[in-house]
Amino acid sequence: MKAPDFAAERALAKDFLTNFTGPHGEPKYMNLLQDVANRKIRAVQIELDDLFHYKDLDEEFLQRVTENTRRYIGIFAEAIDELMPEPTEAYTVDEDRDILMTQRVDEGVDGGADGTDPLQRMPPEIKRFFEVYIKAFSKVTPLTIRQVKASNIGQLVKISGIVTRCSDVKPLMQVAVYTCEECGFEIYQEVTSRVFMPLFECPSQRCKLNKAKGNLILQLRASKFLKFQEVKLQELAEHVPKGHIPRSLTVHLRGELTRKVAPGDVVEMSGIFLPMPYYGFRAMRAGLVADTYLEAMSITHFKKKYEEYELKGDEQEQIDRLAEDGDIYNKLAKSLAPEIFGHEDVKKALLLLLVGAPHRKLADGMKIRGDLHICLMGDPGVAKSQLLKHIINVAPRGVYTTGRGSSGVGLTAAVQKDPVTNEFVLEGGALVLADMGICAIDEFDKMEESDRTAIHEVMEQQTVSIAKAGITTSLNARTAILAAANPAWGRYDMRRTPAENINLPPALLSRFDLLWLILDRADMESDLEMARHVVHVHQNLESPALGFTPLEPSVLRQAHYSYSCIVLAYISAARRVIPSVPRELEEYIATAYSSIRQEEAKSNAPHSYTTIRTLLSILRISIALARLRFSETVAQSDVDEALRLMQMSKYSLYSDDRQRSGLDAISDIYSILRDEAARTNSMDVRYAHALNLISRKGYSEAQLKECLEEYASLNVWQIHPNTFDIHFIDA
C-alpha cells in the first residue's frame, strides 16, 4: 500500500467538512465552525459515522483515518484552518492570547525579517483556538481492556470500563515560546510528548551571523498550554475471566474532555491507543519496552446523573400521562424488582429512597440532609440482597459493598502514595464514590464495631472528615445509605425483645429514617403464591404480568432495564420539584410526632428509638411523596402515608403482639376506634380518619368494614349510610 498524498487527503477533508449535510439538509460542520469562530465552543468532533455516510469518500480513506488517527487529526485541523469563517457575533476577548496574536501579526513575526528562519515561523497550533477530536463508530461494540492488543497501536479503539482514579487538571505545554536577549526574536518549539528538552542558545540566523550565543528566556505568558488530566480506567467485573484480577489502562484527557469523569463512573471511551516510552533511569531499566496509554477522543457515560438525564419527546409525554394517573405511586413501586414477590411497602420505601427530598441550607450555613437512609433487617431468604442489587442497578450512581469486605478506611477515605508524584493523596472510599447517589451495604450486622462508627458522621453530616498523614480535610459524602442486616441470632427470636434482636446501637438506629423488619412467617396461602411466583420466574426468566404496562413495548425494547427505564425517567423529572410544607400542616405533623413518642413511652419494649430525627424523617418522606405527584406543596395524605410506612415497617412485630395478646383483628380495630373517640372526647369518628388509624396498624379497609358491620349490629355505634362516618351510641 503506497503512502497517502497528504495534500490530496487534506483536499478530501476540506470537501467533506464543506459539503456534509445534517439530517435537515443544513451544512453540519460549517455551522459547527461558525460557532467555533464566534467562540461559543472549542471542540470540533468529527464522527466516523458521518465519514461513512458521505458518498464522495471511499472506504480506504475511512480505513486510513481509523488506522492512522493521530496524523489525520492534524490533516483535519489544517483543513479547518483554511475553512474557518469570519466571526459573525461579538465575543469576549481572551486578553493574553488575542493581544499577543494581534501583536505578532502586526510585527510580521512569522519567519523573521526575511521569512526564511523555520524556528521563527509561528506553528499553526499557537494560532488555533479549537481542538479536533475524531469519534469512533457509535454502533461498534466497545472492546474490553484485555482485548486491546499491540496490533491496535496508533489506531482508534473504543473501550468500556470503570474510572478508578482521576488526577488533578494541570496545564500541559503545547508550544514553548522563547525570546532571545541578543536579537529579540521569538523562537517557537512544538512539544509533542510529556517531556521536552528546552532550548538554551538562540538558533536564529542573526545570532549565527553575529556569532553571538544569545541567551533564550522562556515566555510562559506567550506559550500555549492545554488542560491535561490523567485517568485510570479499570475493567468491569463482568469482563474479567475466572480467577483473574481486573486490568487497568491509563487514559490521557486533553482540552475540553477534562473534568468529564469522576471516580466510580462507568464509561465508554474512544481514543488512540499509543505507546509511551520511559524516560531517564526508568528507560535504562526498561530497555525497549514501552508503556501504553489511550489518548481520549470521546467519552460516553453509561448512567447519566439525574440532573443530566434529558427526556426525549415521547418520554415527556409518557411522564405527563403517568403523572395524571392517580395510582402512579403503586405502579412505580411495583415496577421496582418485579421478579421479587410481595414486599409492596418495602418497594414503596425504596422508591422514596430513589426520589429523596431536597437538601436544605439555612441562612447561617447549617445544612439539613434530604437523603433517606433505610435499613432492611430480616430473616435469611427474604430477598434483601436482591433488592439492594436492583436499586444499585436502577440508580444512576450506586456503590455496592458488604460488611465483612469493608473496613473503616475502605468506606470513608484512605491515604495513599501517588505513583506519579510520590506525594500522599486521598483515595475516596465507597461512601465518597457514592456522593450524590446510593451506597448499599449488605451484611451490615457483620461489620466490626470500629468500622461501623465511620458511618455515623456520613449519615447525618454527609461529610467524611480526615486527619491523617498531614492531610486535614473534609470530603463530601452526600449519599443515601441502604443497609441490609440479619437479626442478632441469624433469625428473629420472638422470645427476646426487639432491642435484643436488632442489636444495633441507638446512635446508629436513630439515623435511619426507616428500619424495616421483614420476618419470614409460615402461612399456607402466601407461601403457595410465592412458590408459584418463584417457579414462574425460574422457568420464564421474567416476572408474571403486573397487570399494567408502564411504557409502550417499542419504548421498552430500547431500554436496557425495561421497567426500570420509566422509573429512572420519572424519578429524574420528579427530583426537579422542590415541595414545601404548608403552615396548616405544621400542627398536624407535630401532633403525630408527639403521639408516636407517647406510644413508645407506654410500651414496655419499644420497637425503635424515636427522637427528633424521626420528625425530620416524616418530613423527608412526605416531601418525597409530594415530588412523586409533581406537587409544589405537601398534602395531608402524604404525611399520613409517611406515618403509615413507619408503622408498617414494624408490621411483622405488631401482628405477633396481637397473636400473643389474644386479640383478633376486629376486636383490635374496635379498641383503636374507641381509644380515639375517648382521646378526642367526641362521639364521632370520621371514616377517612378511622381508615388512616387502622392502616397505620397494618389492617385493611375490608377488615374495617367488617368491624363496622359487626359492632353496628350490636348497637355499639351507628354508621352514616353515605359517608360511613361512625357515631358512638353510648359514651
Side-chain angles (χ1 to χ4, degrees):
M1 184 174 151
K2 66 183 176 76
D5 176 8
F6 288 117
E9 300 289 280
R10 197 184 312 122
L12 280 171
K14 277 175 69 177
D15 178 56
F16 165 74
L17 292 168
T18 312
N19 300 320
F20 183 80
T21 54
H24 304 295
E26 76 286 359
K28 178 179 174 179
Y29 288 101
M30 289 312 290
N31 286 354
L32 198 68
L33 294 188
Q34 190 61 64
D35 286 343
V36 171
N38 294 337
R39 309 287 172 91
K40 288 182 180 176
I41 55 170
R42 289 178 65 92
V44 179
Q45 197 166 62
I46 290 150
E47 299 182 24
L48 287 188
D49 289 336
D50 294 345
L51 285 168
F52 178 74
H53 290 119
Y54 187 57
K55 60 182 185 305
D56 293 346
L57 289 179
D58 54 357
E59 284 184 17
E60 283 185 8
F61 180 81
L62 195 63
Q63 189 182 347
R64 291 196 294 272
V65 172
T66 314
E67 291 179 356
N68 192 9
T69 313
R70 197 154 194 192
R71 181 69 189 92
Y72 277 84
I73 284 173
I75 288 170
F76 274 105
E78 288 165 17
I80 290 168
D81 284 337
E82 294 177 31
L83 292 172
M84 185 63 70
E86 289 297 317
T88 54
E89 298 174 18
Y91 56 83
T92 51
V93 174
D94 176 5
E95 283 188 15
D96 278 11
R97 197 194 158 283
D98 288 323
I99 290 169
L100 284 164
M101 283 303 300
T102 313
Q103 208 173 343
R104 285 165 180 155
V105 171
D106 290 346
E107 290 175 7
V109 176
D110 215 2
D114 53 357
T116 56
D117 199 336
L119 280 165
Q120 286 177 259
R121 186 163 286 120
M122 216 188 283
E125 278 83 3
I126 208 161
K127 300 178 193 172
R128 288 180 191 143
F129 43 87
F130 60 87
E131 292 143 21
V132 181
Y133 302 106
I134 295 178
K135 188 181 177 182
F137 287 110
S138 54
K139 295 287 193 301
V140 172
T141 310
L143 302 171
T144 64
I145 293 173
R146 225 166 266 270
Q147 290 169 332
V148 181
K149 302 282 194 294
S151 56
N152 297 112
I153 292 280
Q155 295 182 4
L156 191 66
V157 293
K158 197 174 181 184
I159 298 175
S160 62
I162 182 166
V163 178
T164 55
R165 176 183 289 171
C166 290
S167 71
D168 294 334
V169 177
K170 292 181 177 170
L172 177 76
M173 191 173 274
Q174 196 180 18
V175 180
V177 179
Y178 304 90
T179 322
C180 177
E181 285 184 331
E182 291 288 330
C183 60
F185 282 176
E186 269 191 344
I187 307 293
Y188 302 94
Q189 182 186 13
E190 285 188 64
V191 181
T192 54
S193 64
R194 291 278 297 274
V195 180
F196 78 105
M197 177 60 76
L199 301 174
F200 295 107
E201 288 184 7
C202 180
S204 70
Q205 299 288 350
R206 184 179 292 184
C207 279
K208 281 179 182 172
L209 281 170
N210 297 341
K211 294 184 179 172
K213 292 183 179 178
N215 187 30
L216 292 180
I217 298 161
L218 181 63
Q219 298 290 337
L220 290 177
R221 196 175 163 198
S223 302
K224 185 178 180 184
F225 291 88
L226 266 180
K227 288 181 283 186
F228 176 82
Q229 189 177 22
E230 193 170 270
V231 167
K232 267 274 189 288
L233 195 69
Q234 187 178 293
E235 267 183 312
L236 293 170
E238 56 263 31
H239 296 156
V240 182
K242 290 173 190 170
H244 290 247
I245 59 166
R247 288 190 187 173
S248 57
L249 178 70
T250 305
V251 181
H252 290 177
L253 307 179
R254 295 167 192 254
E256 296 301 292
L257 289 178
T258 53
R259 296 192 179 94
K260 285 278 176 75
V261 294
D265 289 354
V266 179
V267 294
E268 200 176 84
M269 288 185 177
S270 68
I272 313 166
F273 189 57
L274 292 168
M276 180 168 53
Y278 291 108
Y279 300 100
F281 290 111
R282 290 180 72 190
M284 291 162 66
R285 199 164 58 233
L288 298 175
V289 178
D291 203 356
T292 53
Y293 71 98
L294 188 81
E295 191 169 309
M297 292 283 120
S298 71
I299 298 169
T300 311
H301 286 261
F302 272 123
K303 288 183 177 180
K304 290 187 177 173
K305 294 175 189 170
Y306 285 124
E307 298 79 38
E308 294 170 2
Y309 195 96
E310 290 178 9
L311 297 172
K312 303 175 190 76
D314 56 341
E315 271 186 341
Q316 186 63 58
E317 288 170 25
Q318 303 254 355
I319 285 172
D320 292 341
R321 208 178 312 136
L322 282 168
E324 292 165 11
D325 186 347
D327 199 29
I328 184 62
Y329 172 48
N330 292 317
K331 285 184 178 179
L332 282 175
K334 285 177 184 171
S335 300
L336 279 178
E339 298 81 15
I340 295 170
F341 176 78
H343 295 324
E344 282 87 4
D345 285 323
V346 179
K347 289 178 183 178
K348 284 177 181 176
L350 295 178
L351 175 66
L352 297 177
L353 175 88
L354 286 167
V355 174
H359 295 276
R360 305 270 176 190
K361 191 170 182 181
L362 308 186
D364 61 352
M366 185 181 173
K367 292 175 186 171
I368 301 172
R369 72 174 161 92
D371 292 313
L372 273 82
H373 302 316
I374 295 177
C375 181
L376 306 178
M377 179 166 281
D379 296 335
V382 290
K384 300 187 298 294
S385 300
Q386 290 286 11
L387 282 168
L388 259 67
K389 285 273 189 188
H390 184 83
I391 292 297
I392 291 302
N393 283 339
V394 173
R397 192 175 184 86
V399 175
Y400 179 89
T401 180
T402 58
R404 269 284 170 225
S406 309
S407 63
V409 290
L411 284 172
T412 53
V415 175
Q416 292 187 334
K417 219 170 197 180
D418 191 320
V420 180
T421 59
N422 279 334
E423 293 175 359
F424 282 111
V425 291
L426 280 177
E427 185 106 346
L431 293 167
V432 178
L433 288 180
D435 186 31
M436 303 300 281
I438 293 171
C439 182
I441 307 172
D442 207 353
E443 309 294 349
F444 194 57
D445 54 311
K446 315 287 189 303
M447 285 178 77
E448 296 290 336
E449 191 56 45
S450 57
D451 296 335
R452 212 187 283 141
T453 51
I455 304 173
H456 285 222
E457 183 200 358
V458 174
M459 288 181 77
E460 207 54 53
Q461 311 307 324
Q462 301 219 295
T463 55
V464 172
S465 298
I466 298 288
K468 298 175 183 175
I471 299 171
T472 308
T473 184
S474 192
L475 304 172
N476 280 328
R478 294 154 295 185
T479 174
I481 289 175
L482 174 59
N486 292 114
W489 291 275
R491 281 188 72 117
Y492 198 93
D493 188 348
M494 283 299 174
R495 292 164 297 181
R496 300 177 190 269
T497 62
E500 287 176 320
N501 273 292
I502 291 166
N503 195 31
L504 289 174
L508 192 60
L509 280 181
S510 67
R511 283 171 159 83
F512 281 110
D513 296 281
L514 287 170
L515 171 69
W516 214 281
L517 287 164
I518 312 169
L519 273 60
D520 186 14
R521 297 297 185 82
D523 180 274
M524 184 69 183
E525 285 181 21
S526 63
D527 288 350
L528 196 61
E529 271 188 68
M530 187 190 292
R532 284 177 185 147
H533 182 98
V534 170
V535 170
H536 183 281
V537 171
H538 192 270
Q539 291 299 101
N540 302 308
L541 303 178
E542 62 178 14
S543 64
L546 289 176
F548 64 93
T549 311
L551 271 183
E552 301 300 322
S554 59
V555 184
L556 284 180
R557 259 180 245 118
Q558 296 162 9
H560 182 62
Y561 298 103
S562 54
Y563 287 118
S564 306
C565 185
I566 185 58
V567 175
L568 184 60
Y570 193 92
I571 289 168
S572 64
R575 282 176 72 100
R576 291 166 194 164
V577 183
I578 301 178
S580 58
V581 180
R583 283 198 174 276
E584 55 268 22
L585 271 184
E586 289 175 6
E587 187 59 35
Y588 183 74
I589 294 168
T591 311
Y593 166 70
S594 62
S595 64
I596 293 171
R597 291 272 288 189
Q598 289 305 311
E599 276 181 33
E600 190 187 292
K602 289 175 192 171
S603 170
N604 296 328
H607 300 131
S608 61
Y609 298 92
T610 306
T611 63
I612 199 68
R613 283 180 178 147
T614 312
L615 176 59
L616 290 171
S617 301
I618 294 167
L619 287 167
R620 273 191 284 271
I621 298 168
S622 306
I623 289 169
L625 284 158
R627 272 181 157 184
L628 275 176
R629 295 184 294 107
F630 290 99
S631 170
E632 295 290 338
T633 54
V634 174
Q636 187 175 327
S637 59
D638 297 328
V639 181
D640 290 339
E641 174 62 14
L643 293 166
R644 189 191 73 82
L645 282 174
M646 286 189 151
Q647 205 72 30
M648 286 304 289
S649 63
K650 315 291 184 303
Y651 173 63
S652 309
L653 294 177
Y654 289 126
S655 60
D656 189 72
D657 289 346
R658 284 194 290 272
Q659 285 169 11
R660 283 190 289 182
S661 65
L663 281 179
D664 66 316
I666 305 302
S667 306
D668 199 23
I669 290 172
Y670 168 69
S671 61
I672 292 167
L673 298 179
R674 188 192 59 210
D675 292 347
E676 178 63 18
R679 190 183 67 81
T680 56
N681 200 18
S682 166
M683 302 286 281
D684 297 297
V685 179
R686 283 176 42 247
Y687 178 75
H689 185 52
L691 183 60
N692 182 28
L693 283 171
I694 63 111
S695 62
R696 285 192 213 168
K697 298 287 185 186
Y699 292 117
S700 66
E701 189 173 4
Q703 288 170 314
L704 173 63
K705 286 187 175 173
E706 192 182 337
C707 175
L708 295 183
E709 286 172 13
E710 188 170 319
Y711 281 88
S713 65
L714 297 171
N715 283 333
V716 174
W717 54 43
Q718 291 175 337
I719 310 299
H720 192 283
N722 298 327
T723 60
F724 299 112
D725 289 346
I726 304 153
H727 174 73
F728 281 84
I729 293 169
D730 189 1

